[in-house]
Amino acid sequence: MPHLPTDSPDCVRPLPARRSVLGAMAATAAAPALLGLSSPASATPAAPVAQPRALPGGGDLGPNVIVFDPSTSGIQAKLDEVFRQQESAQFGTGRYALLFKPGTYNGLNAQLGFYTTIAGLGLSPDDTAINGDVTVDAGWFNGNATQNFWRSAENLALTPVSGTNRWAVAQAAPFRRMHVRGGLNLAPTGYGWASGGYIADSRIDGSVGPYSQQQWYTRDSSVGGWANAVWNMVFSGVQGAPAQSFPNPPYTTLDTTPVSREKPFLYLNGSEYRVFLPERRTNARGTTWGNGTPRGTSLPLTQFYVAKPGVTAATLNAALTQGLHLLLTPGIYHLDQPIQVNRAGTVVLGLGYATLIPDNGVTALRTADVDGVRLAGFLIDAGPVNSSTLLEVGPTGASASHSANPTTVQDVFIRIGGAGAGKATTSMVINSRDTIIDHTWVWRADHGTGVGWETNRADYGIRVNGDDVLATGLFVEHFNKYDVQWYGQRGRTIFFQNEKAYDAPNQAAIQNGNVKGYAAYKVADSVTTHEGWGLGSYCYYNVDPTIVQHNGFAAPNTPGVKFHDLLVVSLGGQGQYEHVVNETGAPTSGTSTVPSTVVSYP
């Protein structure tokens, strides 16, 4: 394992270690609950006909949603208790949401482990002020932050004790609607390896120091400064962002985000829980909350079926048919049929990394081709029987325009293997036009339980069939064939992070006809218009370091298909790329771990 220089953190250029194999615990859940039935009164001797009871909306949020107010005693002790349980439970079954009512909290240090969300319950981050820290570090993994997955901070104002808050995360760890009254350090103690990350709708009054972070995407936010860059730092709609300068330093900066709509969030209106639905913005820049009440609408919790682990897919679908939205409380949900979202404007919101597992090869969730569905805040974990797909947005052939009210997929993460053997042919399929994929990590596991070239077979990560789809913050890794396939017209991606599958046994295993390897990001030959900014692919073929990958990106060579700021990297010389995009870009060389870049294509 190479050593990381620590004498000059401002210019760290780390080589990430291969994520080591850790123990895992199989995901389990309570026995499923049955949908209740009742019999209406009848004046005739005929046998009564059973009718389903109406499912109630609202209700308590369950034992793993822990709500604090400023008068709560023992807050720090409870935070520490949850952290001790979750700190190294990478493939454990614990799921938690730590929610803070509006007010001021003093002297707290909320350390976050796996599957833990911390969030304020105000309409604005400034409604819930913590004079203290929300910390992610990597002591559990010897100072290596590349496995600090599946945790989040949302809707809080922090005044860090030292003046700087530490948030050393990897993939699937969003920092949303946060106000840091100071600086933000994205590196672990000691400036060890780090591989993140994502910030949206946040204000950092001081400077952000990424230090050892290899890549990062920041959207529609405000920063007081940005200290350095390693390989791929991307900004869209960020006030105070560094100027465009890729590849030296590797900053990709867009003045605005073409279309965005922030993630739904739970808040308190007096004593009533509601879910706020931020409005869609075009050419967005800066936060949504800086000038008072954010723009959007809200729904009372009574319009949500508050789901608990153990509920059946049939009950979830009955709630949707009844006209309710879904709030998935923290835990693990086993599904024997797809969750089917048919109604326009439906919200499916998870708390504390609620996890859906299709047990018998079904698709976990499907939507109809309707306006304004919001999917947010949950994890889909592939089951042991192969699923052809895990998430489908819109049916095959969907063609309706949703430009005024798109479907959004936000902080929805997919995992194949790691917590146990899982398989899926294609993880996420986007058929509906105008869909916004805003921060996802679609991961075929490279460590944990149930990991092997065929054991957790997953050929394709994301397939986009719909036109006018926008991806902001796309993380897709380790698939057996293509990580991303894009068939829709006028697609756009702002920030892409990828590693090719580590565990390919040999060159023949990844051979794509006459082409050496499957590109990480493939735009179909039929596409005439497509654009991407700040896209990176890495290879680490440690099983067979002689493997050659022809390119990281493949696309039709036509003027309407454009890429800006591309890079490929061979990590320590474990495999090599011949080109960056198509036949363009220099090959990676030796063991230097220096990116090969293309600023503009064609």
Side-chain angles (χ1 to χ4, degrees):
M1 180 184 293
H3 296 283
L4 178 73
T6 58
D7 56 333
S8 180
D10 286 341
C11 59
V12 167
R13 297 293 186 271
L15 168 64
R18 183 179 188 271
R19 295 167 182 153
S20 64
V21 176
L22 302 179
M25 293 182 285
T28 59
L34 297 176
L35 177 63
L37 298 176
S38 65
S39 299
S42 175
T44 70
V49 178
Q51 298 290 338
R53 293 192 190 110
L55 293 162
D60 74 270
L61 300 177
N64 288 356
V65 176
I66 302 169
V67 181
F68 304 102
D69 66 45
S71 65
T72 302
S73 62
I75 296 177
Q76 186 64 56
K78 189 62 178 179
L79 296 174
D80 292 345
E81 175 190 340
V82 172
F83 177 65
R84 281 192 300 270
Q85 178 180 322
Q86 299 301 114
E87 180 184 10
S88 58
Q90 181 171 182
F91 298 112
T93 58
R95 304 285 187 273
Y96 289 93
L98 310 173
L99 305 183
F100 287 75
K101 294 181 180 181
T104 300
Y105 301 78
N106 294 313
L108 297 182
N109 180 19
Q111 300 181 80
L112 296 189
F114 287 97
Y115 313 110
T116 305
T117 292
I118 187 170
L121 288 170
L123 261 184
S124 165
D126 289 334
D127 293 339
T128 310
I130 293 179
N131 293 316
D133 296 79
V134 172
T135 301
V136 178
D137 207 343
W140 74 278
F141 201 44
N142 300 315
N144 179 345
T146 62
Q147 292 184 23
N148 282 348
F149 313 137
W150 305 305
R151 64 200 76 197
S152 61
E154 303 183 41
N155 206 28
L156 294 165
L158 306 178
T159 303
V161 170
S162 69
T164 300
N165 189 75
R166 186 183 301 278
W167 185 255
V169 297
Q171 290 78 6
F175 199 79
R176 287 186 181 268
R177 287 181 65 78
M178 294 291 287
H179 183 191
V180 181
R181 296 166 176 161
L184 187 63
N185 182 348
L186 303 180
T189 299
Y191 302 102
W193 292 308
S195 180
Y198 176 90
I199 293 171
D201 200 25
S202 295
R203 189 168 91 200
I204 318 301
D205 292 345
S207 184
V208 178
Y211 303 122
S212 54
Q213 285 286 355
Q214 294 146 357
Q215 69 278 319
W216 200 276
Y217 175 51
T218 307
R219 178 181 63 71
D220 300 348
S221 294
S222 172
V223 298
W226 195 272
N228 72 291
V230 177
W231 291 335
N232 191 29
M233 300 285 159
V234 179
F235 309 84
S236 67
V238 178
Q239 297 164 341
Q244 169 71 32
S245 59
F246 188 92
N248 189 26
Y251 294 132
T252 298
T253 303
L254 287 72
D255 190 57
T256 61
T257 303
V259 186
S260 65
R261 190 174 69 191
E262 298 304 329
K263 179 185 172 185
F265 62 92
L266 191 67
Y267 76 103
L268 277 171
N269 180 25
S271 61
E272 177 196 24
Y273 282 107
R274 298 183 70 89
V275 173
F276 192 81
L277 308 178
E279 72 172 12
R280 170 181 165 272
R281 296 198 292 170
T282 57
N283 299 317
R285 182 172 172 82
T287 67
T288 63
W289 48 268
N291 297 313
T293 303
R295 296 177 64 89
T297 59
S298 70
L299 297 169
L301 194 63
T302 54
Q303 291 185 21
F304 285 77
Y305 178 70
V306 179
K308 308 290 186 359
V311 70
T312 63
T315 300
L316 297 174
N317 283 327
L320 291 168
T321 300
Q322 190 177 306
L324 295 171
H325 306 273
L326 296 182
L327 185 74
L328 305 173
T329 64
I332 294 172
Y333 297 75
H334 285 264
L335 306 174
D336 61 359
Q337 61 180 272
I339 298 171
Q340 182 65 52
V341 178
N342 292 325
R343 190 178 69 257
T346 299
V347 179
V348 180
L349 176 62
L351 300 179
Y353 291 84
T355 301
L356 308 178
I357 301 178
D359 284 329
N360 54 353
V362 301
T363 298
L365 190 149
R366 290 190 176 115
T367 77
D369 191 24
V370 294
D371 275 356
V373 173
R374 303 181 195 231
L375 308 177
F378 55 89
L379 172 65
I380 299 175
D381 209 353
V385 178
N386 185 74
S387 294
S388 60
T389 60
L390 293 171
L391 174 67
E392 295 179 17
V393 177
T396 300
S399 60
S401 173
H402 307 290
S403 58
N405 191 7
T407 287
T408 44
V409 180
Q410 300 178 283
D411 300 347
V412 173
F413 307 120
I414 294 178
R415 177 173 68 194
I416 302 95
K423 293 185 178 182
T425 304
T426 305
S427 292
M428 183 185 297
V429 178
I430 307 296
N431 292 316
S432 286
R433 291 179 58 181
D434 305 294
T435 299
I436 300 172
I437 309 167
D438 177 42
H439 190 226
T440 190
W441 184 40
V442 182
W443 183 57
R444 176 182 167 266
D446 60 274
H447 64 272
T449 299
V451 172
W453 185 248
E454 297 296 342
T455 306
N456 63 328
R457 182 83 194 188
D459 283 351
Y460 308 109
I462 293 181
R463 178 174 175 141
V464 178
N465 296 319
D467 294 340
D468 303 294
V469 171
L470 171 66
T472 52
L474 191 60
F475 299 73
V476 189
E477 297 190 293
H478 304 154
F479 285 85
N480 295 77
K481 293 184 178 179
Y482 290 119
D483 298 276
V484 173
Q485 297 172 286
W486 209 296
Y487 290 85
Q489 297 289 353
R490 297 176 298 280
R492 292 174 291 184
T493 295
I494 304 172
F495 182 88
F496 172 67
Q497 187 265 325
N498 165 264
E499 286 180 345
K500 295 302 299 174
Y502 294 165
D503 57 343
N506 49 49
Q507 187 75 46
I510 64 160
Q511 194 69 13
N512 182 14
N514 295 324
V515 180
K516 299 172 186 174
Y518 291 82
Y521 189 106
K522 165 68 174 174
V523 180
D525 293 342
S526 57
V527 172
T528 57
T529 306
H530 186 91
E531 196 158 9
W533 296 262
L535 315 183
S537 177
Y538 317 154
C539 74
Y540 187 77
Y541 288 119
N542 66 307
V543 175
D544 181 359
T546 68
I547 290 176
V548 175
Q549 177 81 28
H550 184 64
N551 50 33
F553 304 91
N557 188 8
T558 182
V561 177
K562 304 174 184 178
F563 292 105
H564 314 273
D565 302 356
L566 302 176
L567 67 97
V568 296
V569 183
S570 168
L571 304 180
Q574 306 292 295
Q576 302 290 343
Y577 291 91
E578 291 180 325
H579 300 287
V580 179
V581 52
N582 292 349
E583 310 302 316
T584 298
T588 54
S589 57
T591 60
S592 60
T593 315
V594 173
S596 177
T597 62
V598 169
V599 174
S600 181
Y601 183 87

